[in-house]
Amino acid sequence: MTAVLIAVLALPAAGGVLAALGHRHRSAGWLATGFAAAGLLAAVFLPASRGDGPLWHRFDVAWAPAIGLRFDIGVDGISYPLIVLTALLTLLCCLHTMSETTRRPTALIGLLLAVEVGILGVFLAANIVAFFVFFEIVLLPMYAIIAFWGGPGRRAAAAKFALYTVLGSLLLLVGVYVVVSSTGTGDLVALAESGGGGMSPATQLVAFALLGVGFAVKSPLWPLHSWLPAAHTEAPTVGSVILAGVLLKMGTYGLIRVGLGVAPEGAHAAAPVLLVLAVAAIVVGGLICLAQRELKRLIAYSSVGHMGFVLLGIATLSGTGITAALYGNIAHGLITGLLFFLVGSIKQATGHGMLTELGGLRTTAPGLAGILGFAALASLGLPGLAGFWGEAFAVYATLAGDSTARAVAAAVAAAGAALAAAYLLRMIRRVNYGPPTAAVDGAAAALRVTPIRLALWGPLVAATVLLGVVPGLLLDGFTAAPFLEWVSR
Amino acid sequence: MSASIWLLPLAPAACALAGLLVPPSGRRPAAAIAVTGTAIAFVTAVALAFGGGTYHFATRLAGFGDITVHAAVTVTPVAAYVAVAVATVALLVQVYSYAYLRDDDRYVPYAAQVALFTAAMLLVVVSDDLVLLLIGWELMGACSYLLIGHDRRLPEAPAAAVKAFLVTRVGDVGLLLGIALLGFHTGSFRIPEVLAALPDMTPGTVTAAALLVLAGAAGKSAQFPLHSWLPDAMAGPTPVSALIHAATMVAAGAFLLFRLLPLYTGAAAVVVALVAAVTMIGAALAALASDDLKRVLAWSTVSQVAFMFGGIAVAAGDAAVFHLLSHAAFKALLFLAAGAVIHVAGGNSLAAMGGLRHGAPVLFTTMTLGFAALAGIPPLSGFWSKESILGAAAGAGGLTGNLVLWAGIVTVALTAAYATRAWLLVFLGAPRGSTGHDPEPLMRWPLLILAVPTVLLGVAAFAGPVSGEPPHLWPTLPVLAATALGAAAVYLWWRREPATDPATRLGAARPLFAAGFGFDTLQRALVVIPVTLLGRFASWADVTIVDGAVDGSGHVTSATARRIAGWHLAGLPRHLWFTAAGAVLLAAVGTAAYLGMWA
Amino acid sequence: MSQTIDHVALLPAYLAAATALAVLLTDLFSRHPVPRIAVAGIGFAATAAAAVWLGTLPPRQTFCTDTGCSLVTGGPGAAIAATTALLGLAVLALSARPLLAGDAPPGEYAFLLACSVTGGVMLAYGRDLITLIVALETLTLPLYVLVAMRGGSRRGAVAAVNFLLVSVTAGAITLLGAALLYAVTGTLHLTGIAAALRGDTIPLTAVAVAVIITGVGFKLAAVPLHGWAPGSYDGAPLPIAAYLSTASKLGGVAVLLWLVTEAFPPVLHIAGPVLTVLAVATMSVGNLLALRQRRTVRLLAASSIAQAGYLLVPLAGLTALAGPPGTAATAATAVLVFALFYVMMEVAAFTGVIALRWPRADGGELGDLAGSLRAAPGPAVVLLLALAALAGLPPALAGLFAKITVVSSVAMAMPWLAVVVAVNAVVGLAYYLRFGVLLVRGRGTEPAPAGWPVTAVLALSVAALVIVGFAPQLLWRLASFG
Amino acid sequence: MHPVIPYVIAALLFGVGLYGVLVRRNAVMVLAAVELLLGAVNLILVTADVAPLTGDTGHSGQSFALFVIVIAAAEIGVGLALVLHLFRLRGDIDTQDIDRGEQGEPSPETTAPTGSRG
C-alpha cells in the first residue's frame, strides 16, 4: 500500500506541474483541481491495509546519504489527520480560486499545489533531513502567492514572511544537523523510539533550542509571530486559508514530531520556558486582538493565541497535553480556515476589512452572518465544537502537573480563553449586528451564500461540528500511535 | 429505557439543527419542528419521572491519555423532575413564542435556537460526566447570547448579549479549572466517581475545586459578583427571558451545585452562604427600586436563585431543587404574563402601567397567583419551597445556617414588598393608557397551564420524593411575619398615595438600588476599561517593540549595507588598502591563534 | 636525481596546453573565426574527457622527490580539472556569436581562454608551491586581457587595470606567504611542508600560513580582498565575468583545498581561525554589499563574494577539529561539493542574464531586466531558478543541498558559525527575492534571440541543476576526498 | 648563521613596496612598487635557501626565485600593455578614478563593431 503513500504526494505534484505548464489555460486549472481532489481521495484511503509498525506505511529509499538524507516517508495516527486536512483545504482553495474571479487562476493553483506538496511532505517525512527539505519547499510558492495575488501592502508583507520564516528554518537546519551529526542517523522513528539516539542532555538542549526556535517562527509562537499579521492581512483569501489552516501546523507538528521526538531531554529542560511563552502567547494574543481594527489582522492575531494553547499542551510533555495539542492543531486548521474563507469573502465583496466600515451583516446577508457567527463561536472554544477539546485539555494537562506554577499557568491560560470570547464577540458585534453600513449594503449580492460557497464552507462547518461531538474520531488515532507513548514517557 | 435518556437532549438538538436549515419564510414548519423536538423531550421526561427509578447510560467519548471523557447520562427522580420542569417551560415558551413573534422575520432561527437552548439545559440536567455537562453548560451560554441579541430594533441588545456571554464565560473559566482539578485528583470526570473519591483529596484541594466550580455556577446563575448580565439580558424577547429565568441558564448553576453537593462543606459552604446572602438581599433591594417590570422580575430571579444557593450552603440539596422547581413554575408564568402586559402597555416602565385588572382578567388572575407565589403566600408553591430552605438553615445552625436564615428572612420581607409593589402598579390604581385585553389563545393557554404548578406544586411536593418534611413552627412564623410585614408596608404606602410609586419612599437610595448599587460602573472601571487599555497597550507594544525589533533589525541591516556599499565607492586605492590591511589582520589572527589566544 | 615522468597523469594538462597551441596555429593559418573557436571547443572537450577518464583510474603521481610529489591525480582533482575545462567550453559557447560578429579577436580570445584553462587544470593536480603558484598565474594572467576585451569599451579597460593592480598585489602577498613557508619548512612540496610543520614551529610559521591563505583568498574574492570583484566583473564581457566567478574561483578553491588537506594538517589550529575570520567577513560583507547593488553584474559579483564566504565555512570548522582523522577530508569534500553546486548555479545565472540582455555585452541595471518572465520566459525561468538556488531554496533543490552541505559541516563543531551562515542567508534571500520579483513583474522588452550555443548552455546548466537537485549524491561521489 | 640582515632588508623592501602600492596614484608606479614586493620575496627565497630557519633545504628556493622573476616579467608585460590601453582610451592612468562604484560609464553599452585589436 505504499503506492497510496506515494500517490498522496505525487498527485498534487503532478497537478502542480500541469498547472505550471498550462498556466495560461483555465482548463489546466480545472485539471489540476482534479488532481488535488484525487490527492484528497488518496489521503483519505491511507488507513487502508495499514501495517502494525509505528508507521502505517513506509517508503524509504536513499537520496543523499552523505548528508543523512533519505526519501523516507510514512504515516501514522498523528500525521494522518493533518494530511487529510491539508489535502482538503487545498482542494477547497483550488475550487475557491476557480469559482471566484481570480487573476491568473491556473498559476495560483499551481502554486497552491506546490505548497501542498511541501506541507504534505513535512507531515509524511520520517527522515529529519527530508523533513527539512519539504519544510523549505513551501517558502517560495507561498511567497509568490502573497506577493503576486495579495493586497496593497503585499510586497513588504511577503518579504517579511519569507525573510522571517527562512531565518527560522535555517536555525532549524542547524538544529537538524546537530542531531544528525551527533547521532549519525536522521531516522525520526528510530530517534523517537530511542529517546534521542543517545545524545547527551546538553546536546539535546542545544538541538531542541535550535529546532524549537525554527518551529516557533513558523507556528508562530509569541514573540516570534510578527510576520504573521502582515502576511495574513495582505495575502489573498486562499493564501490566508492555507497559511493559517495548515502551514502554521508545520511548526507545531514539527515541534512535536521532531522537537520532542529527537530531543526529549532537551524538551524537558526547556519545558518551563515553553510554558511561560505559551501562556504569554495566549494572553498577549488575546489582548492584542481586543484592540484590532482590521478583520483579517484580528483573526491572524487570534492564531497567536490559539497556537499558544497548542504550545501549552506540548509544554506539559504529557500524553494528555500532546494529544490536546494535536487536536487543537486540527481544530484550529478547520476553524481558522473557515474564518479566513468568510472574512476573505466579506473583504472581497465590500472592499473593506476595517471593522468600522462593516456592520449589519445579519440584516443584509443572514446566511453569511450565521456562518461567521458559528465560526466565531467555534474559534472561541465553545464546547461541542472542535475548538473546545484541544484548549480545554491543554488547560487540564497543565493543571495536572500538580505544582503551583503549573496551576497558575493553567488559570491564566483559561482566563485567556475568556479573552478569546471577548474579542471574537466584539468582532461579531461589529460585523453582524447594528444597522448595515454603506459598504455592506452595497454588496448584498456578493455576500450571498451561493451553492458553490456552501459546498466550499460546508465541509469545514460539518467537520467542526463532527469533531466537536465525536472527538474520539481523531483521539483514538493519536493515542494509538506509538510515537505518542515515546515522547510522553 | 436507559438509552432513551438521550432523547432528552438529542431530540430538541436534532430538531434545532433541522430547524436551522429551514428557509426564513418557513414559519410553520420551523415551529412544528421545534415544538416536536421539545414535546419529545417533554414526554420522555414525564415518562422517566413516572418511572421513578434511576437510569444510567454511558459510553466512552474521548480519551486523552490518562483520562477519559464519557458520554454518560443519568436520571435520578430529582433530575427527572427538573427535566420535566425544563421541558414544560420550554414547550410552553415555544408555543407562546409562535404567537409572540408573529411579525418577526427571524422567527425561524429563533425557534431553532430556543430548541437548542432547551437541549443544552437538558444535557446539563442529565449528564453524569463533568465535561459532558460543561458542553451543555457553555452551549447554553452561546444560545443565550444568540437569543438575547435577537431583537435588531433594540440598539442595546447586542451589547447585552455580549455581556451575558462574557460574564458567564468568566465564571466558566473557574468551572473549567474546577473540573480539571477534580478530574486530575480523582482520575475521572464521572460525577459519582468524583464524589466517591473526595475523601481521598486534601481538604484544601476540595475547597479550591468547590470555589472554582462555584464561580461557574455563580456566573450562570447570576449570583454576586457575576450577576450583572442578567438585568441587561432583558433586551432579549420576553419568552427568552422566561426560558432563561425559569428553566435554563439560571437554574443550571443551582442544579450543578446540587449535583456536586458533597463538595460544599466547611469554608466552601460559608462562601456559598455569603454569596447567597449578599445576592438575595441586594437583588431584592434592586427589584424594589426598579421601574422596569422585566428588571423587577430579573432582579427577583437573582434574589430567588440566591435562596437555592442558600439551600446548597446548608446542605439542603432537595430543598434547593424544590425551590428551583417552584421558581421555574411561577417565574415562567410571571415572565410570559409580563410579555403580555408589556405588549398591552407598550413599554416596560411600571410608571406607564396601571389598572389592567379590568381589561385582562386571565392575565390578572394568573399573574396575581405568580406574584403571590413569589412573595411566599401560603399555600402557593413559593411558600413551601422557601420555607423548606429556611427550615433547613434553621436546622443547620452555625455561621452558615444563621447567615442563610437571617438573610432569608430579610429577603422574604423585601420580596413580599416588591412583589406587592409590582402587582399594585400593574393591575390596580387608575388605568394609564389602555386598560388592556387578554392575550390571544396561544399566549393565554401557557399562562393558564403554568398557573397549575404555581399553585399546587408546594402541596404536591409532599406526595413526591423532593421533601417530605412538614414545616416547623420555627422559622415558619417569622417568615410569615416578614412576608406580611413587607406586603403590608408597601400596601399601606400605596394606599396613602395610589398615584405614586411606593418605591419613592426609598428616597435618595432608590437610584442607587435601581442601578444595582452601581455595580456595573464598578465592573466597568475595574475590569472592562483596564482590559481594554491593556489590549491597546499590548497592541501598541506588539507593533512598536516586538515587531519594531524585527523591523529595526531590518533597518540596521539596511543602514549597515549602505555604509558598507559606501566604502566600496572609493576607487582602486581603497581596494589595495583593504587587501594590504586584510593580510596584516589575518597574519595577526594567525599569530594570535599560534599563541593560543584563539578560543 | 632522475625522475620518470608519468605522461598519463599529465594528459589533461597536455591537452589543455595543446588546445592553446592549436588555437594559435589555426589563427596563423586561417582567416576564418569558426575554426579557431571549433579547435578551442574540441580541445576543451577533450581536456574534460581526459580529466574524467583520469579520475576513474587509481591515483597516479609524478615528479616525485623524497619530500613529496609535484603532481598527483585523483577524484577531487579530476572533478576540478574537468569542471574547469567544461567552464572554458561554456564561456566559449557564450562568446561564440560575438566573436563571430567580430566584437573581439577570436584567435586571441580563444588562445587566452585556453591558457587560463591550462592554468586551472594544472591547479587541479599540482602539489608543490611552485606548480601551484605558476598555475595560478597562468590561470589569472590571460584574464587581465580578457577582461579588457569588451569591444573598445573604456569600462573594460578600467576593469582590467583594476583587476590587474589588485591581483598583482595579492599575487605578491601569496608569494610572500609561499616564501615564508619555504623559509620555515625548507621544502616546497605540500606533503613535505606538512612533515616539517609536524615538529616545532616558530611564530613566523603562523604568519606564513595566514599570509598564504590571505593571498589565495584573493582568487575567491574573499573579504577583505574582494574590492576588485564588482567593478571588474561589471566591466568585463559577460562570459568572462561568468568565468571569473566560476573557474577562477574554482582555482582558488583548489589551492586552498590542497594546502589545507596536504600541507596544513599539523597547523589547523592556526589555519582554522584565519579561515573562520575570512569566512565570517566574506559572507557578511558580501551579502550586505549585494543588498545595495543596482547593477545586475555587480549584484551577482557581490553575491558570489557571499557564496565564497559560505564556501570557506566548512574549512573554518577545522578550528574545532580535535576530532577523528578524516574530518579534514570531510570538510574538504564539503567545500568541493559546495563549489561544484555553486559553479552550476553561477553559470546558470550568468547565462540567463546573457540571454536576457542579448545582444548587449553588459548586465545593465537591474531594472533593465524587469518583466523578463513575460518577454523571454525561457531564460527568465533559468535565471529565476538560479537565483532560487543561490538563495538556497526549493524548487532549486541543488541550492538547498548546497546550503545544507555548508551548515551540516559545522553544525556540530561550531554551531555559532552555522547560525552566522543562517543569518547571512536571510540577508541573501532579501536581494535574491528582490531580483526575482523584478523579473516576474510587468512586461519587459524582448531580447534578441541568442542563438543555439547560448541556448545549449542554458539548457545544460538547468539540466545539471535539476539532476544534482534530485541526485545530489553524484557530487559527493565525484568530489570525495575519501 | 642567523640571516638577520637579509630578512630585515627583505622586510624593508616589502614595506617600501607596499607603501608604494598604497600611496601611488599612477598605475605604472603601482606596478613598479609591486616589483619591489616581488624583489623582497626573491630575497627571502634565496636567503632561506642558504640559511634555512629550520632544518635543511633542498635548495629549491633558488629555482622558485627564478619562477618568481618570470612571473614578475609576465605581469609587468601584460600590466604595462593594459595600462597603455587604458591611457589610450581615457587619457590618464590615475588609479583614484578606477572603479569608483556604479557611476562609471552612464549608458548601457551595445556591442561596438570595432574590437580592441590594438
Side-chain angles (χ1 to χ4, degrees):
Chain A
M1 283 305 282
T2 49
V4 181
L5 199 60
I6 294 165
V8 168
L9 266 184
L11 285 169
V17 171
L18 274 176
L21 293 177
H23 63 95
R24 290 182 202 286
H25 307 287
R26 219 179 143 72
S27 52
W30 281 113
L31 193 62
T33 308
F35 273 87
L40 174 62
L41 203 65
V44 168
F45 278 104
L46 277 174
S49 73
R50 61 174 96 160
D52 305 329
L55 297 177
W56 296 349
H57 310 290
R58 192 165 187 178
F59 177 77
D60 183 11
V61 289
W63 190 353
I67 48 173
L69 172 60
R70 302 184 66 81
F71 189 83
D72 184 2
I73 56 174
V75 61
D76 66 2
I78 289 172
S79 52
Y80 173 66
L82 284 163
I83 290 166
V84 174
L85 178 68
T86 309
L88 173 69
L89 280 182
T90 312
L91 175 62
L92 295 180
C93 284
C94 289
L95 288 171
H96 177 94
T97 305
M98 296 308 294
S99 65
E100 309 266 323
T101 44
T102 316
R103 209 166 43 81
R104 301 179 66 87
T106 310
L108 180 55
I109 284 180
L111 291 170
L112 282 172
L113 291 177
V115 172
E116 184 189 5
V117 170
I119 299 175
L120 287 175
V122 164
F123 295 148
L124 286 168
N127 174 288
I128 193 170
V129 185
F131 178 95
F132 173 77
V133 170
F134 284 116
F135 203 82
E136 289 289 72
I137 285 181
V138 173
L139 194 96
L140 281 183
M142 197 66 217
Y143 170 83
I145 290 174
I146 301 173
F148 298 122
W149 278 268
R154 56 187 178 265
R155 298 270 310 260
K160 195 178 217 172
F161 160 75
L163 296 182
Y164 208 144
T165 57
V166 93
L167 175 64
S169 62
L170 286 167
L171 295 178
L172 170 66
L173 175 62
V174 180
V176 164
Y177 277 97
V178 169
V179 174
V180 174
S181 305
S182 43
T183 63
T185 177
D187 185 340
L188 284 173
V189 177
L191 283 168
E193 189 170 13
S194 60
M199 274 189 286
S200 71
T203 313
Q204 287 204 19
L205 185 58
V206 171
F208 185 82
L210 289 163
L211 296 170
V213 171
F215 292 129
V217 170
K218 202 67 152 196
S219 295
L221 301 174
W222 188 85
L224 301 174
H225 64 283
S226 67
W227 60 269
L228 182 80
H232 269 311
T233 315
E234 299 302 335
T237 302
V238 290
S240 299
V241 170
I242 292 292
L243 201 55
V246 281
L247 202 138
L248 308 187
K249 308 302 174 289
M250 301 195 319
T252 41
Y253 173 81
L255 199 56
I256 296 172
R257 178 75 84 181
V258 180
L260 301 190
V262 307
E265 289 183 53
H268 202 265
V273 179
L274 291 184
L275 198 71
V276 171
L277 286 180
V279 172
I282 294 167
V283 174
V284 175
L287 285 174
I288 292 172
C289 282
L290 273 179
Q292 290 309 307
R293 289 193 292 266
E294 214 273 347
L295 208 49
K296 287 180 97 174
R297 211 174 154 80
L298 192 158
I299 297 174
Y301 270 116
S302 84
S303 289
V304 175
H306 289 305
M307 289 296 117
F309 276 104
V310 173
L311 179 63
L312 187 66
I314 296 171
T316 64
L317 301 178
S318 65
T320 312
I322 296 168
T323 314
L326 289 166
Y327 205 92
N329 236 2
I330 302 284
H332 178 259
L334 288 170
I335 297 166
T336 309
L338 177 62
L339 271 172
F340 271 116
F341 266 129
L342 298 171
V343 302
S345 301
I346 293 173
K347 209 172 161 178
Q348 199 175 7
T350 62
H352 285 286
M354 299 302 287
L355 289 175
T356 46
E357 303 288 335
L358 297 170
L361 203 64
R362 199 165 64 136
T363 311
T364 314
L368 186 57
I371 302 178
L372 184 65
F374 168 84
L377 288 176
S379 181
L380 62 80
L382 190 74
L385 299 176
F388 165 71
W389 297 103
E391 302 195 352
F393 278 84
V395 171
Y396 171 82
T398 311
L399 193 73
D402 204 18
S403 74
T404 316
R406 292 270 291 261
V408 170
V412 177
L419 268 182
Y423 64 74
L424 283 163
L425 293 185
R426 171 178 167 269
M427 174 191 92
I428 291 295
R429 188 180 152 196
R430 290 285 174 83
V431 177
N432 275 5
Y433 291 88
T437 58
V440 170
D441 229 10
L447 288 169
R448 243 165 21 90
V449 182
T450 56
I452 177 81
R453 282 183 170 171
L454 204 60
L456 284 177
W457 304 339
L460 297 177
V461 173
T464 305
V465 174
L466 191 67
L467 291 187
V469 178
V470 201
L473 283 182
L474 292 188
L475 289 174
D476 295 343
F478 294 152
T479 41
F483 179 84
L484 191 72
E485 196 184 316
W486 296 335
V487 295
S488 60
R489 64 191 153 201
Chain B
M1 193 72 186
S2 289
S4 69
I5 300 173
W6 280 114
L7 279 176
L8 282 175
L10 288 188
C15 289
L17 292 182
L20 284 173
L21 300 176
V22 175
S25 55
R27 280 177 56 87
R28 279 179 172 278
I33 290 171
V35 169
T36 310
T38 319
I40 292 173
F42 174 74
V43 171
T44 313
V46 170
L48 288 168
F50 274 101
T54 299
Y55 307 96
H56 303 283
F57 186 86
T59 176
R60 191 169 163 279
L61 182 62
F64 278 90
D66 316 329
I67 194 139
T68 308
V69 178
H70 288 94
V73 288
T74 183
V75 171
T76 56
V78 175
Y81 291 134
V82 176
V84 170
V86 171
T88 312
V89 173
L91 192 57
L92 295 174
V93 163
Q94 284 284 10
V95 172
Y96 183 95
S97 299
Y98 184 69
Y100 189 83
L101 291 162
R102 176 144 310 191
D103 304 323
D104 194 319
D105 57 354
R106 298 192 61 253
Y107 170 77
V108 172
Y110 166 91
Q113 285 160 6
V114 170
L116 193 62
F117 207 158
T118 315
M121 180 63 195
L122 288 171
L123 183 59
V124 170
V125 172
V126 299
S127 73
D128 198 32
D129 185 289
L130 286 169
V131 176
L132 190 67
L133 185 142
L134 187 65
I135 293 178
W137 183 269
E138 293 230 29
L139 205 53
M140 262 197 303
C143 290
S144 71
Y145 163 75
L146 293 171
L147 289 167
I148 293 169
H150 172 86
D151 196 336
R152 78 166 68 114
R153 286 162 307 180
L154 287 177
E156 71 269 25
V162 171
K163 189 175 179 187
F165 193 93
L166 284 186
V167 173
T168 55
R169 178 95 178 175
V170 168
D172 292 348
V173 169
L175 180 58
L176 175 65
L177 290 170
I179 291 177
L181 200 60
L182 289 173
F184 168 55
H185 282 284
T186 63
S188 171
F189 290 126
R190 296 288 298 273
I191 293 173
E193 291 172 20
V194 167
L195 296 181
L198 281 185
D200 304 333
M201 288 166 64
T202 59
T205 315
V206 175
T207 307
L211 293 180
L212 287 167
V213 171
L214 175 65
K220 271 285 183 287
S221 290
Q223 297 296 292
F224 177 83
L226 297 173
H227 60 279
S228 62
W229 64 271
L230 192 64
D232 289 4
M234 291 305 112
T238 307
V240 170
S241 302
L243 198 61
I244 289 177
H245 288 253
T248 54
M249 287 286 270
V250 168
F255 187 74
L256 174 65
L257 296 192
F258 166 72
R259 290 299 308 270
L260 296 176
L261 194 60
L263 277 176
Y264 294 93
T265 53
V270 175
V271 174
V272 177
L274 265 175
V275 167
V278 170
T279 312
M280 63 174 80
I281 297 176
L285 285 172
L288 188 58
S290 181
D291 180 53
D292 181 319
L293 175 57
K294 285 178 77 175
R295 270 181 185 266
V296 170
L297 294 178
W299 283 118
S300 108
T301 303
V302 175
S303 176
Q304 294 300 308
V305 174
F307 267 104
M308 304 174 204
F309 275 51
I312 299 295
V314 296
D318 283 354
V321 172
F322 184 21
H323 192 54
L324 192 161
L325 293 173
S326 70
H327 177 255
F330 67 70
K331 192 50 67 65
L333 169 63
L334 282 172
F335 263 109
L336 293 183
V341 167
I342 288 163
H343 186 64
V344 171
N348 291 4
S349 174
L350 284 170
M353 297 174 187
L356 282 184
R357 73 172 184 278
H358 303 296
V362 174
L363 211 51
F364 173 64
T365 318
T366 52
M367 208 167 177
T368 303
L369 287 173
F371 275 127
L374 169 63
I377 311 284
L380 301 179
S381 57
F383 165 74
W384 300 104
S385 56
K386 243 183 266 187
E387 199 282 331
S388 63
I389 288 173
L390 295 179
L399 176 60
T400 324
N402 283 316
L403 202 57
V404 173
L405 177 63
W406 289 110
I409 289 173
V410 171
T411 310
V412 163
L414 291 171
T415 308
Y418 69 72
T420 312
R421 165 181 172 253
W423 179 74
L424 290 170
L425 288 179
V426 174
F427 291 106
L428 299 181
R432 300 181 179 88
S434 159
T435 52
H437 54 81
D438 267 334
E440 59 177 287
L442 276 183
M443 287 165 72
R444 194 162 62 222
W445 278 107
L447 300 180
L448 292 170
I449 293 171
L450 282 168
V452 176
T454 302
V455 175
L456 295 181
L457 197 60
V459 184
F462 288 97
V466 173
S467 167
E469 195 130 342
H472 296 279
L473 221 49
W474 168 255
T476 309
L477 278 180
V479 168
L480 282 173
T483 311
L485 186 71
V490 169
Y491 182 74
L492 292 175
W493 279 328
W494 179 80
R495 280 292 292 187
R496 211 174 302 163
E497 299 168 70
T500 318
D501 186 346
T504 48
R505 298 276 169 177
L506 291 171
R510 187 183 174 197
L512 182 67
F513 290 175
F517 300 90
F519 189 79
D520 271 348
T521 321
L522 195 68
Q523 185 173 284
R524 217 180 134 64
L526 288 184
V527 181
V528 179
I529 291 176
V531 170
T532 311
L533 287 180
L534 215 54
R536 292 217 185 116
F537 171 75
S539 186
W540 171 85
D542 193 66
V543 172
T544 338
I545 298 174
V546 178
D547 197 34
V550 177
D551 286 343
S553 68
H555 293 315
V556 168
T557 310
S558 205
T560 317
R562 196 173 302 125
R563 168 80 49 93
I564 284 186
W567 290 343
H568 288 78
L569 294 179
L572 178 58
R574 184 164 286 176
H575 303 334
L576 291 170
W577 270 105
F578 280 166
T579 306
V584 174
L585 179 79
L586 290 172
V589 170
T591 313
Y594 173 81
L595 297 174
M597 286 155 66
W598 180 270
Chain C
M1 203 164 64
S2 76
Q3 296 175 333
T4 54
I5 299 173
D6 183 355
H7 294 287
V8 174
L10 281 165
L11 189 60
Y14 283 158
L15 281 171
T19 308
L21 218 57
V23 172
L24 209 55
L25 288 174
T26 321
D27 198 33
L28 278 179
F29 295 115
S30 162
R31 291 272 114 219
H32 204 272
V34 174
R36 296 165 223 189
I37 298 172
V39 164
I42 292 166
F44 290 150
T47 310
V52 169
W53 172 72
L54 197 56
T56 62
L57 301 181
R60 308 171 82 98
Q61 41 197 3
T62 186
F63 301 124
C64 294
T65 67
D66 48 355
T67 54
C69 295
S70 290
L71 202 133
V72 178
T73 73
I80 293 172
T83 310
T84 308
L86 289 176
L87 285 169
L89 191 59
V91 169
L92 197 68
L94 294 176
S95 339
R97 292 273 296 258
L99 289 179
L100 293 177
D103 289 351
E108 282 95 323
Y109 194 94
F111 168 72
L112 289 169
L113 193 59
C115 289
S116 181
V117 168
T118 309
V121 170
M122 272 314 287
L123 281 177
Y125 298 117
R127 291 296 188 280
D128 76 290
L129 290 177
I130 295 182
T131 313
L132 287 175
I133 281 173
V134 171
L136 212 49
E137 287 299 328
T138 317
L139 173 70
T140 313
L141 260 171
L143 289 174
Y144 302 149
V145 184
L146 284 170
V147 166
M149 276 204 183
R150 200 158 99 192
S153 149
R154 215 166 72 170
R155 190 177 254 185
V158 171
V161 173
N162 180 27
F163 179 30
L164 167 86
L165 290 182
V166 186
S167 178
V168 292
T169 310
I173 290 172
T174 319
L175 281 169
L176 175 68
L180 290 176
L181 207 52
Y182 176 70
V184 295
T185 60
T187 174
L188 291 169
H189 283 115
L190 300 184
T191 45
I193 291 172
L197 289 177
R198 224 157 257 138
D200 288 337
T201 50
I202 56 174
L204 198 57
T205 315
V207 176
V209 168
V211 167
I212 197 165
I213 289 175
T214 312
V216 178
F218 165 82
K219 298 300 303 175
L220 297 170
V223 174
L225 301 100
H226 64 292
W228 59 278
S232 303
Y233 285 25
D234 199 20
L238 278 172
I240 295 303
Y243 188 82
L244 275 173
S245 76
T246 54
S248 176
K249 280 202 181 186
L250 197 57
V253 172
V255 178
L256 212 50
L257 283 177
W258 308 143
L259 282 175
V260 169
T261 55
E262 308 260 331
F264 291 162
V267 288
L268 286 180
H269 60 288
I270 297 171
V274 173
L275 288 162
T276 308
V277 171
L278 208 56
V280 171
T282 305
M283 57 187 165
S284 307
V285 173
N287 276 316
L288 290 172
L289 190 58
L291 212 49
R292 307 297 310 179
Q293 300 306 316
R294 288 196 310 273
R295 289 186 62 83
T296 312
V297 175
R298 279 180 180 269
L299 178 95
L300 289 177
S303 106
S304 83
I305 295 171
Q307 301 284 341
Y310 302 148
L311 189 119
L312 289 167
V313 165
L315 290 179
L318 293 171
T319 312
L321 290 180
T327 332
T330 316
T333 309
V335 170
L336 189 49
V337 166
F338 181 85
L340 295 177
F341 273 125
Y342 163 77
V343 163
M344 291 178 205
M345 309 176 211
E346 203 73 2
V347 168
F350 268 102
T351 313
V353 171
I354 288 171
L356 289 174
R357 290 284 294 164
W358 202 268
R360 298 171 189 82
D362 71 334
E365 302 268 327
L366 284 174
D368 298 337
L369 294 179
S372 296
L373 186 62
R374 296 252 184 112
V381 165
V382 175
L383 182 52
L384 281 172
L385 193 73
L387 291 176
L390 286 166
L393 287 174
L397 287 174
L400 180 67
F401 291 132
K403 199 159 63 183
I404 290 180
T405 310
V406 169
V407 171
S408 67
S409 66
V410 289
M412 193 62 211
M414 294 170 96
W416 69 266
L417 189 57
V419 171
V420 173
V421 173
V423 172
N424 265 290
V426 175
V427 178
L429 181 61
Y431 57 82
Y432 292 125
L433 270 182
R434 208 173 51 202
F435 193 1
V437 168
L438 195 81
L439 296 174
V440 178
R441 264 175 208 290
R443 182 181 292 279
T445 47
E446 199 173 336
W452 68 265
V454 174
T455 313
V457 177
L458 215 52
L460 287 175
S461 61
V462 165
L465 273 182
V466 170
I467 289 170
V468 299
F470 284 103
Q473 195 62 23
L474 281 178
L475 290 191
W476 271 274
R477 214 171 298 155
L478 279 178
S480 172
F481 278 69
Chain D
M1 164 190 143
H2 277 289
V4 179
I5 294 174
Y7 279 121
V8 167
I9 291 176
L12 284 176
L13 210 51
F14 203 86
V16 170
L18 206 54
Y19 178 79
V21 167
L22 295 180
V23 301
R24 286 294 178 177
R25 292 290 180 262
N26 181 309
V28 177
M29 295 312 285
V30 174
L31 279 174
V34 170
E35 286 303 299
L36 289 182
L37 299 180
L38 296 180
V41 169
N42 277 338
L43 189 54
I44 295 172
L45 284 173
V46 292
T47 310
D49 230 11
V50 293
L53 285 171
T54 56
D56 200 10
T57 72
H59 298 286
S60 39
Q62 29 190 305
S63 21
F64 197 174
L66 284 176
F67 277 102
V68 173
I69 291 167
V70 174
I71 288 170
E75 278 180 349
I76 291 300
V78 173
L80 285 178
L82 282 173
V83 171
L84 197 61
H85 177 60
L86 177 69
F87 184 72
R88 270 204 218 151
L89 288 169
R90 220 169 69 152
D92 77 77
I93 48 171
D94 188 347
T95 57
Q96 191 76 53
D97 295 333
I98 290 177
D99 190 30
R100 293 196 58 114
E102 300 192 351
Q103 68 272 45
E105 285 163 294
S107 66
E109 306 161 27
T110 53
T111 44
T114 54
S116 55
R117 283 163 216 257

